[in-house]
Amino acid sequence: MAITRDSQMHKRRLSRNIGLGFVLIAFAGMVFGLTIAKVSVLDPARLEAEQAGEAPAMPFETAPLAPQEPAASPEASQ
Amino acid sequence: MSDLSLMEYEKDAGFGDYFALLKPRVMSLVVFTALVGLVVAPGTVHPFIAFFAILCVAIGGGASGALNMWYDSDIDAVMKRTAARPIPSGRIERGEALSLGLALSGFSCAMLGLATNWVAAGLLAFTIFFYAVIYTMWLKRWTPQNIVIGGAAGAFPPMIGWAAATGGISVESVLMFMLTFMWTPPHFWALALFMNSDYDAAGVPMLTVTHGRRVTRKHILAYTLALAPFALAILLTSIAGPVYAFVAVVMNLLFIKGAVQIYRRSEAQAEADKYAVERKFFRFSLFYLFLHFSALMIDALLRGYDLIGTGVFGGLLGGTF
């Protein structure tokens, strides 16, 4: 019996290699995502801003971390 | 290449075979209960960290499944239900399963520790140790109470989820553990009553074989009665809400009713209707656990939107150890 390109052995090995490839790519993505998540949680400036209600609690959203200048009141401008 | 070596290649494992080593069906219960443990815990966890923690728990559960298949490959080959598993069917070597199990165990615990905290990682490591060593290597082939003590391994995930969120162990997480722990014996013994398993041929002591079916029926009733107080005790904690209260009262009454029916039946009656009551009780037991944990999650979500208060009775029980 000749081993052809389409033999079961090749199919199984291909599935194994593709599967492992996906697992490794997923792992790299997970570690990257975890890094981003950890950095956003551990960033003290961001934490302070979040506690002061000046930055969104959800990650991956940009918000100014520096305290905002209070808007000039209408009375002050008159 | 000789025909013999070609046959060896024909047994080459595919990716699915390695995935099957991780017992994906068992993993689903682990993932669900761990998720509930994490969601109902006080405090907030970053959504990605929560997802990563649950993934680590799933991989850890899978690793213990691979270690179980490595150690039990001799009895898996004897039993019809398990003969097609990757090791007894010859697609994966025992050593490969051991390596995969050990590697994933170390990986999952380390990553969980780095992502959340070392209490959660320690609990995961203990769960893997408990399932692979205490249950698989020691209890399973030694005592008919294997299901009872071994059930602890399946009961740890909500505690791990809770620890991932809080960094500790509390009354609430222990009660969630007890809910799954006490649920396991009636669930599996009901299955053992109607499944014609060949555990006996494999030398695994099952209560139905070692002590008989009458004793098994008594045990099912006893454990179902013992389970109810733990399910209801959760009502005294801060994690319960009206949905859980309704589910716990109704489901426990129905579960006890089913256990009493099983207790009252003789083998002749059971054989006459092909174990209809036992089958129904087994199916119901799946709903029982699923609904209890689902109810806890729904209450946590309602609490998150300030639609309900803390606990049914204001959270009388609670506190971190």
Side-chain angles (χ1 to χ4, degrees):
Chain A
M1 183 181 159
I3 299 177
T4 62
R5 188 74 192 90
D6 297 314
S7 74
Q8 277 297 314
M9 181 192 82
H10 285 109
K11 280 183 185 167
R12 289 203 193 104
R13 286 197 172 174
L14 183 67
S15 88
R16 216 160 70 186
N17 295 340
I18 290 174
L20 186 61
F22 273 116
V23 167
L24 291 174
I25 291 167
F27 176 61
M30 292 283 169
V31 172
F32 178 71
L34 189 64
T35 309
I36 299 291
K38 281 277 183 189
V39 166
S40 68
V41 169
L42 296 176
D43 181 0
R46 186 179 183 86
L47 194 66
E48 275 173 30
E50 278 177 15
Q51 281 168 352
E54 291 162 359
M58 289 298 289
F60 312 123
E61 287 177 32
T62 52
L65 293 179
Q68 297 280 300
E69 286 293 323
S73 67
E75 291 150 59
S77 61
Q78 282 169 2
Chain B
M1 185 184 286
S2 71
D3 286 352
L4 191 63
S5 56
L6 185 61
M7 279 170 67
E8 287 301 311
Y9 278 114
E10 286 299 319
K11 284 185 173 178
D12 241 22
F15 185 75
D17 292 315
Y18 289 96
F19 188 64
L21 276 182
L22 309 184
K23 296 193 176 181
R25 277 166 65 184
V26 177
M27 220 190 259
S28 58
L29 172 74
V30 167
V31 166
F32 177 62
T33 55
L35 176 69
V36 173
L38 200 145
V39 169
V40 303
T44 53
V45 183
H46 190 289
F48 192 86
I49 294 176
F51 165 74
F52 195 85
I54 299 297
L55 186 71
C56 288
V57 176
I59 294 171
S64 60
L67 293 172
N68 172 274
M69 285 210 204
W70 157 71
Y71 192 80
D72 276 351
S73 59
D74 56 337
I75 56 176
D76 282 352
V78 177
M79 297 194 293
K80 246 185 270 177
R81 183 175 66 85
T82 52
R85 282 179 175 176
I87 300 176
S89 63
R91 295 194 301 278
I92 290 180
E93 295 284 325
R94 284 188 79 226
E96 280 183 286
L98 175 63
S99 308
L100 185 73
L102 290 175
L104 290 184
S105 298
F107 169 82
S108 58
C109 294
M111 293 308 289
L112 184 62
L114 291 169
T116 59
N117 57 72
W118 296 101
V119 175
L123 278 171
L124 179 62
F126 184 70
T127 306
I128 297 169
F129 169 78
F130 199 94
Y131 187 71
V133 178
I134 307 282
Y135 171 69
T136 304
M137 296 184 188
W138 181 34
L139 295 169
K140 188 173 176 180
R141 301 177 193 219
W142 175 58
T143 167
Q145 296 296 318
N146 48 18
I147 293 295
V148 180
I149 309 163
F156 275 115
M159 281 184 81
I160 302 172
W162 180 280
T166 64
I169 297 169
S170 70
V171 172
E172 294 90 336
S173 72
V174 171
L175 284 173
M176 283 192 285
F177 167 88
M178 288 306 294
L179 180 66
T180 318
F181 179 65
M182 297 302 288
W183 163 88
T184 309
H187 167 75
F188 273 105
W189 283 330
L191 178 73
L193 280 176
F194 66 80
M195 274 278 285
N196 285 323
S197 175
D198 30 16
Y199 274 119
D200 201 25
V204 177
M206 285 298 280
L207 195 67
T208 44
V209 177
T210 57
H211 290 71
R213 286 159 179 273
R214 187 70 246 153
V215 173
T216 307
R217 288 173 189 280
K218 280 183 192 168
H219 272 65
I220 288 175
L221 179 60
Y223 274 93
T224 306
L225 289 173
L227 164 66
F230 289 106
L232 296 174
I234 293 179
L235 284 174
L236 302 176
T237 69
S238 59
I239 59 172
V243 179
Y244 182 83
F246 177 75
V247 166
V249 171
V250 172
M251 295 304 274
N252 278 285
L253 282 174
L254 292 173
F255 208 40
I256 291 170
K257 186 183 163 214
V260 170
Q261 281 178 332
I262 285 184
Y263 172 71
R264 284 185 177 162
R265 273 156 72 84
S266 66
E267 279 314 300
Q269 283 174 312
E271 276 171 26
D273 63 9
K274 294 180 179 167
Y275 293 90
V277 172
E278 289 79 1
R279 286 173 196 274
K280 198 175 148 196
F281 183 83
F282 174 74
R283 279 196 302 273
F284 185 78
S285 70
L286 291 168
F287 276 112
Y288 176 95
L289 197 69
F290 177 71
L291 286 182
H292 272 80
F293 278 96
S294 298
L296 286 175
M297 186 129 81
I298 292 167
D299 281 332
L301 294 175
L302 293 175
R303 205 173 298 117
Y305 287 103
D306 288 331
L307 294 172
I308 57 171
T310 303
V312 181
F313 298 106
L316 292 174
L317 272 180
T320 304
F321 297 134

